[in-house]
Amino acid sequence: AIVLFVIHSGVTEIFTGRSLGKALLGLHVTNLTGKTPSIWQSVIRNFMKIFELISWFLLILPAVSQHRQRLGDLVARTLVVSEVGERSSVKDD
């Protein structure tokens, strides 16, 4: 089940930049410069989910990391960002 979950979320993030859950919440994955992550960043990010799900204590990492990143994000150098925040920051002239 864990492997299927990792494959599903990895494939959808590679092609769309988000998983189903992120799409429902208006979130997407970026690299640290705000661009679409590379395929390798997505693979690394999702591969690390295996360790996070097996080692449950790693699940507290987003609560204590500076940018609320989980282990996969830290290793792959990615962020999960809100699309709502991006849209609201655009000024209407």
Side-chain angles (χ1 to χ4, degrees):
I2 291 173
V3 172
L4 289 176
F5 172 67
V6 169
I7 290 171
H8 162 72
S9 55
V11 169
T12 57
E13 284 185 15
I14 286 170
F15 289 107
T16 66
R18 62 177 72 189
S19 62
L20 177 60
K22 286 180 194 64
L24 292 172
L25 295 173
L27 305 171
H28 69 276
V29 180
T30 68
N31 63 20
L32 296 180
T33 62
K35 296 180 181 173
T36 303
S38 70
I39 290 173
W40 288 113
Q41 284 178 304
S42 294
V43 169
I44 292 167
R45 178 178 191 284
N46 285 286
F47 179 75
M48 296 305 293
K49 286 180 182 178
I50 295 170
F51 298 105
E52 294 169 337
L53 293 171
I54 292 171
S55 303
W56 59 269
F57 60 89
L58 292 173
L59 295 174
I60 65 163
L61 193 57
V64 297
S65 68
Q66 181 179 4
H67 298 290
R68 297 175 49 190
Q69 293 169 289
R70 59 181 189 78
L71 180 63
D73 290 316
L74 291 169
V75 173
R77 302 178 53 84
T78 58
L79 295 167
V80 177
V81 295
S82 172
E83 294 176 346
V84 175
E86 291 176 357
R87 289 187 196 130
S88 65
S89 65
V90 176
K91 292 182 180 180
D92 292 328
D93 292 321

